[in-house]
Amino acid sequence: MSLSAQAQEKKANVVVIGTGGTIAGAGASSVNTAAYQSAVVPVDKIIAAVPEISKIANVRGEQIFQIGSESFNDERLLKLGKRVSELLKQNDVDGIVITHGTDTIEETAYFLNLTLKSTKPVVVVGSMRPGTALGADGALNLYDAVLVASSKDAAGKGTLVVMNDEIHSGRDVTKTNSFKVETFRSPYGPLGYVVEGKLMFYRLPARPHTTQTEFDIDKINSLPRVDIAYN
Ligand code: ASP
C-alpha cells in the first residue's frame, strides 16, 4: 500500500519496545561508524529523532532493556516475548516494533516467530551505525519498521526483521558481516522491500510460525538446556 493511501486510512497504533544495541548507540564523532558506545540512547529519543514516523502511525515507546544484544539471555528473551504477547492482546495495539542490537537480532526474531500467538505484525529492527555517524541507517530502518508494523499487508507473516530497505522472515535471516549495512541475508532472499513508504512483498513464509506452531510464549517459563558438541 502506498504511503498516501495509507495516510488516508486511520493511523495504526504501534508500540516501539527499546532493548538497546547500535540503533541506541552514540559515537564521539560523526566519523565513528564502527567505534561507539551501544545501548545509550533511550527509545523515546530514538523515536523523536524521526518525526516522519508520526505521519504514518501513533507510536509510543517502551524501554524494556538498555543492553547490547550479546547480553540477551533466556530470562530476557522470555521477558521480552511475554511483554510483546501482552501488548498484542490489546485492542489499541495494531503492531509492535522492537529496536534491538544486530548481533542476536536473528535469535530473538526466530524465537518470537515460533512462540507468539498473534497475526499482528511484529518487526525487529536495528542499525549497523550509531545515530551520531555520517550515513547512519537507524532512522530509515526505524521508519520502515514502523511502516511495516502498521501495515495490514504484513499481518500473518510471522516475526519480521526490517533492515536496509528489506523485509526478512525471522526464520530465515542471518547477519553475515560485522560492519556493512547490507549485512542481513536470507538464503531464499527477503520476503520483500520497503521503498519510499511502500511495502512490496514478493513471497510468503511457507514454514509454520506464530499461530501455527506448538509453542506458546504465555506458557513457557523456562527454556531447556541444549548442549552443542563440536566435532
Ligand atoms: N553489539 C551490538 C549489539 O548487538 C551491535 C549492533 O547492534 O549492531 O547490540
Side-chain angles (χ1 to χ4, degrees), residues 68-193:
S69 71
E70 59 279 6
S71 299
F72 259 89
N73 53 20
D74 291 7
E75 195 190 325
R76 287 182 171 135
L77 203 51
L78 290 172
K79 184 175 173 182
L80 175 66
K82 285 177 186 293
R83 180 61 185 143
V84 172
S85 171
E86 199 170 57
L87 288 166
L88 289 171
K89 288 186 192 118
Q90 292 180 200
N91 291 333
D92 61 349
V93 174
D94 299 306
I96 306 276
V97 169
I98 301 162
T99 58
H100 199 290
T102 60
D103 291 348
T104 66
I105 219 170
E106 62 200 73
E107 283 82 2
T108 295
Y110 189 34
F111 179 75
L112 297 177
N113 188 62
L114 289 175
T115 59
L116 291 174
K117 293 289 159 245
S118 174
T119 57
K120 291 181 186 176
V122 175
V123 179
V124 195
V125 65
S127 75
M128 291 304 292
R129 296 173 181 151
T132 45
L134 291 172
D137 52 334
L140 183 58
N141 286 350
L142 181 63
Y143 178 81
D144 288 347
V146 171
L147 197 72
V148 174
S150 308
S151 171
K152 290 188 171 59
D153 294 348
K157 293 185 170 66
T159 301
L160 304 169
V161 172
V162 171
M163 295 275 301
N164 199 37
D165 302 334
E166 295 178 344
I167 308 166
H168 291 265
S169 165
R171 184 181 201 279
D172 298 339
V173 74
T174 190
K175 183 176 175 180
T176 62
N177 186 285
S178 59
F179 68 92
K180 294 172 110 171
V181 291
E182 68 270 34
T183 178
F184 283 93
R185 299 273 186 238
S186 293
Y188 316 104
L191 299 182
Y193 303 91

Side-chain angles (χ1 to χ4, degrees), residues 10-15 53-54 56-60 94 146 150:
K10 192 180 147 298
K11 278 194 281 184
N13 298 320
V14 174
V15 182
I53 284 176
S54 63
I56 55 169
N58 302 313
V59 166
R60 73 174 172 85
D94 299 306
V146 171
S150 308

